[in-house]
Amino acid sequence: MGPSDTGTIPHPVTEELRATIAAAGITESTDLVARILATGIGLGIDDTERLDLKITSAALSEMRAAFRLFAPYRGIPKVTIFGSARTLPDDALYRQASEAATALAERGWMVVTGAGPGIMQAAAEGAGPHNSLGVSIRLPFEEKPNAIVGENARNVAMKYFFTRKLMLVKESSGFVCVPGGFGTLDEMFELLTLQQTGKADPTPIVLLDAPGGTFWSGLRRFVDEHLLPSGVISPGDFDRVLVTDSVTAAVDELTGFYRNYDSLRWVGKRLVLRLKAEPTDAEVQALNAAFGDLVTEGEIERRGPVTVEVEDDDKLHLPRLVLRLNQFRVGELHRLIRAINALESAPAA
């Protein structure tokens, strides 16, 4: 631990923390574990109020429990499905959520929900208990996870909305939002904010309505008539979202986003995009012609893994595209990814 990690923590204490970590048999990421412990000591040194300490302790415990729940399924793609807890089983929206979850499970995806009733139960039913994970919230009127998620105990209960929202978003490679109330809208707008600001990796977001429904088209109208003209969002900010009433279109959007694009990694100021198929010289030239304005220096280049990826053994078998992305344009990355997925060299859909 360096000075910035320990603050005013006495040196003998930091040595004891290191000894405690070693005695526990921890050998990986010991610097980060030490930082977590040092932060706890620092809170005590700061004479932090008991309520604040309880919030910190509970949040850390909940995060640990959630990390342990998701850990066995780390290599499996996941979709989080948001929607109202009040939607009844005879509602068309309930059927849409269930059918979408079934189709995604058939393609090898797991479904993550808030583990409550309504749309959350519909999605869990559609995916089945072996393909469902739940992150529930302790509320007076929503005390237990639904039976589908609870059947295999694949659920973690949270006290705080902020820890729950973290886990509903962090582990998923795609999102489906079904019409709902304040909670659903809050989750949907947070997804858009994270994408717009580049605080989350690009992921597909589907706003799925009932057949012939107008809930999400009303939102699009509001965006076009109010948000865009007033200049509070940029043109194209809503283009990353698919608004549809088709389960097939929703599933194709989610799975198609990873047709060729695999993942990304920042290495200093360079953005490394990992692909499933190596693009041709002509395709790279075409990408530069179409997206050169996103680059601050040089061009979009085809290359192998960069040094730090080799050191970390990070997906070394995949081809790469590397660029110096304009940080103010990070919200437009989805456009480049969609173009990469549409290359002729991309794997067949």
Side-chain angles (χ1 to χ4, degrees), residues 325-337:
L325 180 71
N326 183 340
Q327 296 286 343
F328 293 101
R329 307 285 294 278
V330 68
E332 299 180 49
L333 257 181
H334 68 99
R335 294 175 45 232
L336 176 56
I337 290 172

Side-chain angles (χ1 to χ4, degrees), residues 46 53 68 78 108 153 189 211 231 248 305 341 349:
D46 295 343
L53 291 173
R68 293 177 71 183
K78 303 173 193 66
F189 279 122
T248 299
N341 288 327

Side-chain angles (χ1 to χ4, degrees), residues 218-239:
L219 173 63
R220 182 185 290 280
R221 216 166 32 249
F222 180 78
V223 168
D224 292 340
E225 295 176 3
H226 297 278
L227 301 185
L228 277 171
S230 64
V232 295
I233 66 171
S234 301
D237 272 351
F238 204 64
D239 290 349

Side-chain angles (χ1 to χ4, degrees), residues 81 93-103 119 121-127:
I81 298 182
L93 291 171
Y94 195 101
R95 292 191 294 275
Q96 290 283 84
S98 180
E99 290 174 10
T102 298
I119 293 300
Q121 179 156 335
E125 287 175 353

Side-chain angles (χ1 to χ4, degrees), residues 42-244:
L43 286 168
I45 292 173
D46 295 343
D47 197 25
T48 305
E49 291 186 359
R50 182 173 178 80
L51 177 59
D52 293 340
L53 291 173
K54 289 176 69 176
I55 292 172
T56 304
S57 174
L60 197 59
S61 295
E62 291 183 355
M63 290 167 63
R64 182 193 178 200
F67 294 154
R68 293 177 71 183
L69 172 69
F70 281 94
Y73 315 105
R74 190 161 291 143
I76 302 173
K78 303 173 193 66
V79 57
T80 296
I81 298 182
F82 295 114
S84 175
R86 304 185 187 190
T87 305
L88 299 176
D90 61 353
D91 194 306
L93 291 171
Y94 195 101
R95 292 191 294 275
Q96 290 283 84
S98 180
E99 290 174 10
T102 298
L104 286 162
E106 289 173 350
R107 297 199 190 188
W109 287 55
M110 295 190 77
V111 171
V112 182
T113 73
I119 293 300
M120 294 172 279
Q121 179 156 335
E125 287 175 353
H130 296 289
N131 295 302
S132 300
L133 296 170
V135 187
S136 59
I137 188 76
R138 300 190 193 100
L139 294 174
F141 47 86
E142 251 178 72
E143 295 181 351
K144 298 179 181 178
N146 64 60
I148 303 301
V149 171
E151 183 175 327
N152 287 323
R154 291 180 176 176
N155 174 74
V156 60
M158 302 291 205
K159 179 179 180 180
Y160 299 116
F161 272 110
F162 73 89
T163 49
R164 184 199 196 204
K165 289 170 70 176
L166 169 65
M167 297 311 303
L168 287 172
V169 171
K170 173 185 176 293
E171 296 291 335
S172 288
S173 302
F175 302 90
V176 176
C177 299
V178 180
F182 293 151
T184 301
L185 293 173
D186 172 55
E187 289 152 343
M188 183 271 298
F189 279 122
E190 178 160 356
L191 285 175
L192 294 182
T193 302
L194 291 171
Q195 294 289 300
Q196 180 193 53
T197 57
K199 296 297 288 184
D201 289 348
T203 50
I205 301 171
V206 176
L207 307 186
L208 178 63
D209 214 327
T214 60
F215 187 95
W216 294 123
S217 59
L219 173 63
R220 182 185 290 280
R221 216 166 32 249
F222 180 78
V223 168
D224 292 340
E225 295 176 3
H226 297 278
L227 301 185
L228 277 171
S230 64
V232 295
I233 66 171
S234 301
D237 272 351
F238 204 64
D239 290 349
R240 65 173 52 83
V241 174
L242 174 67
V243 176
T244 184

